[in-house]
């Protein structure tokens, strides 16, 4: 945990300085997660702000300081969902919209080459956005948390309140769908 | 063979995820992020007149509960009181009855002795 349990307990009892410390400590991580979940840099801070406001008003419901991080992730996911719902964002990137540049960026990434060019980075982001569009919003969030955020199955179990085996099955299916979409895309490119 | 294909597929996916992870820019937050969060917290606080109103409502509810408890206590005492009153009244009645019986007895004996004498 990035902050001491004592800091969380102080924030729970209304200590503003302790709450500010929590914001300062977690803001980067939370804003990064939000960016990867909603994919719109211009709205990340607004959603992040919403997460911390929700945290402030729900902190007294937190039973123990030890489960603070999964709690914060849950709030982040919910705020991101709400944002996406409000936006009614449809992932309308079609296969035809995927450019050759994006595919070659994916090839480069696949072979483990480091992407240094900003253009290539943008390409790979758009490409993943397209691929993740092949799974449900829930599975997209789950995949993002596991594969991009690097949360362990145990962490995810605490966030979702489900057992690890159920998560494994869901992740397996979601990965398979993403992989199928990617292979289809590559096949199309070869034609 | 199929297993090899699967493994290859998974590792390709892993590489793509890794590339995506490194392609995501570091989030840049404005320097006034923390004050803005506090401002948002303040602005989403319940409206200022609602809090005293709620406090008064709580006090009123507490006062009403106390009054109800007192009333119940008073009614309970009152319910018990008539029984005592009955006892008290019964005692008085008994005393009066005994007294009147004594008087009646006295009159009876007086009349009886008068009749005896006349005989």
């Amino acid at each position: 945990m990035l902050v001491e349990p004592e800091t969380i307990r102080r924030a729970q009892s209304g200590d503003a300085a302790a709450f500010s410390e929590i914001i300062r400590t977690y803001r980067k991580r939370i804003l990064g997660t939000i960016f990867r979940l909603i994919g719109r840099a211009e709205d990340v801070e607004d959603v992040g702000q919403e997460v911390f406001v929700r945290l402030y008003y729900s902190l007294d419901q937190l039973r123990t300081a030890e489960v603070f991080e999964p709690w914060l992730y849950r709030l982040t996911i919910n705020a991101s969902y709400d944002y996406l719902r409000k936006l009614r964002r449809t992932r309308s990137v079609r296969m035809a919209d995927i450019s050759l540049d994006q595919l070659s960026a994916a090839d480069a990434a696949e072979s483990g080459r480091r992407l240094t060019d900003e253009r290539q980075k943008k390409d790979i982001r758009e490409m993943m956005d397209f691929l993740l569009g092949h799974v449900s919003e829930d599975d997209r969030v789950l995949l993002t948390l596991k594969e991009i955020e690097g949360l362990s199955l145990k962490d995810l179990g605490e966030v979702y309140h489900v057992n690890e085996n159920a998560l494994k099955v869901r992740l397996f299916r979601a990965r398979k769908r993403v992989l199928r979409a990617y292979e289809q895309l590559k096949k199309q490119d070869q034609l | 063979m199929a297993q090899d294909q699967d493994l290859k597929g998974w590792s390709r996916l892993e590489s793509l995820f890794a590339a995506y992870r490194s392609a995501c820019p570091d989030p840049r937050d404005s320097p006034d992020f923390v004050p803005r969060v506090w401002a948002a917290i303040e602005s989403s606080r319940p409206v200022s007149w609602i809090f005293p109103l709620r406090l008064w409502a709580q006090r009123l509810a507490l006062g009403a509960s106390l009054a109800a408890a007192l009333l119940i206590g008073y009614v309970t005492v009152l319910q018990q009181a008539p029984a005592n009153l009955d006892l008290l009244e019964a005692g008085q009645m008994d005393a009066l009855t005994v007294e009147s019986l004594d008087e009646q007895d006295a009159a009876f004996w007086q009349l009886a002795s008068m009749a005896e004498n006349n005989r």
Side-chain angles (χ1 to χ4, degrees):
Chain A
M1 205 151 65
L2 296 178
V3 290
E4 293 295 318
E6 183 52 33
T7 310
I8 294 161
R9 278 190 281 272
R10 277 196 291 125
Q12 277 183 307
S13 60
D15 185 335
F19 190 74
S20 292
E21 193 186 326
I22 291 173
I23 304 173
R24 276 193 294 273
T25 310
Y26 281 97
R27 67 183 162 179
K28 284 230 167 190
R29 189 194 266 201
I30 293 303
L31 294 181
T33 304
I34 294 167
F35 175 76
R36 290 180 276 273
L37 291 175
I38 70 169
R40 285 169 69 104
E42 64 271 28
D43 295 329
V44 166
E45 272 205 28
D46 288 342
V47 181
Q49 201 172 291
E50 178 62 25
V51 170
F52 286 109
V53 171
R54 288 184 191 187
L55 176 69
Y56 182 82
Y57 285 112
S58 62
L59 208 52
D60 58 339
Q61 293 164 28
L62 186 72
R63 280 169 287 112
T64 59
E66 284 67 31
V67 293
F68 173 74
E69 283 189 353
W71 177 272
L72 185 56
Y73 263 112
R74 190 71 250 174
L75 291 176
T76 308
I77 294 166
N78 287 344
S80 303
Y81 269 139
D82 290 347
Y83 166 85
L84 290 170
R85 237 172 265 142
K86 215 184 286 172
L87 201 68
R88 292 185 187 284
R89 187 166 172 220
T90 48
R91 300 190 170 276
S92 56
V93 187
R94 288 173 295 125
M95 207 172 270
D97 297 333
I98 298 293
S99 68
L100 283 175
D101 284 349
Q102 285 168 328
L103 276 171
S104 62
D107 278 336
E110 231 188 84
S111 57
R113 259 180 286 154
R114 205 177 149 75
L115 305 175
T116 48
D117 184 9
E118 277 310 308
R119 175 75 224 166
Q120 274 189 320
K121 285 184 181 178
K122 191 170 175 285
D123 283 342
I124 203 80
R125 283 202 302 269
E126 285 171 359
M127 170 79 146
M128 280 308 290
D129 208 33
F130 165 75
L131 293 177
L132 290 172
H134 284 77
V135 293
S136 67
E137 202 64 58
D138 285 347
D139 285 349
R140 176 192 158 87
V141 170
L142 183 63
L143 271 178
T144 306
L145 293 175
K146 175 74 178 75
E147 308 296 347
I148 320 292
E149 295 297 308
L151 262 70
S152 66
L153 282 170
K154 187 175 172 283
D155 294 337
L156 286 171
E158 281 172 8
V159 171
Y160 284 95
H161 303 299
V162 289
N163 73 45
E164 293 180 19
N165 286 335
L167 283 172
K168 269 186 205 167
V169 173
R170 253 180 77 180
L171 276 167
F172 177 78
R173 287 181 184 154
R175 273 198 205 121
K176 200 141 197 172
R177 235 167 276 152
V178 172
L179 187 63
R180 207 176 299 141
Y182 181 58
E183 279 165 353
Q184 211 175 332
L185 193 66
K186 297 273 281 185
K187 213 178 279 172
Q188 189 125 334
D189 179 51
Q190 283 163 4
L191 292 175
Chain B
M1 187 73 177
Q3 211 171 7
D4 278 358
Q5 283 280 359
D6 274 357
L7 280 175
K8 217 182 247 179
W10 289 136
S11 88
R12 279 208 309 238
L13 205 57
E14 294 284 323
S15 310
L16 277 179
F17 279 129
Y20 179 68
R21 205 178 303 135
S22 64
C24 286
D26 272 343
R28 273 178 299 168
D29 57 335
S30 48
D32 62 340
F33 182 76
V34 180
R36 276 177 51 215
V37 170
W38 277 111
I41 289 169
E42 291 305 323
S43 68
S44 56
R45 253 186 224 287
V47 189
S48 59
W49 57 266
I50 286 179
F51 182 70
L53 197 73
R54 205 161 57 182
L55 201 70
W56 274 108
Q58 280 170 352
R59 284 177 187 168
L60 202 71
L62 186 72
S65 314
L66 276 173
L70 283 173
L71 199 67
I72 288 167
Y74 180 67
V75 168
T76 313
V77 169
L78 271 186
Q79 275 174 343
Q80 285 169 353
N84 293 339
L85 213 63
D86 284 346
L87 275 176
L88 189 68
E89 276 171 3
Q92 278 176 337
M93 289 298 285
D94 286 345
L96 284 171
T97 309
V98 168
E99 209 170 291
S100 81
L101 277 176
D102 285 349
E103 278 171 13
Q104 281 173 5
D105 276 357
F108 172 79
W109 291 117
Q110 209 169 357
L111 281 170
S113 63
M114 273 168 70
E116 191 77 25
N117 289 339
N118 287 341
R119 225 184 271 168

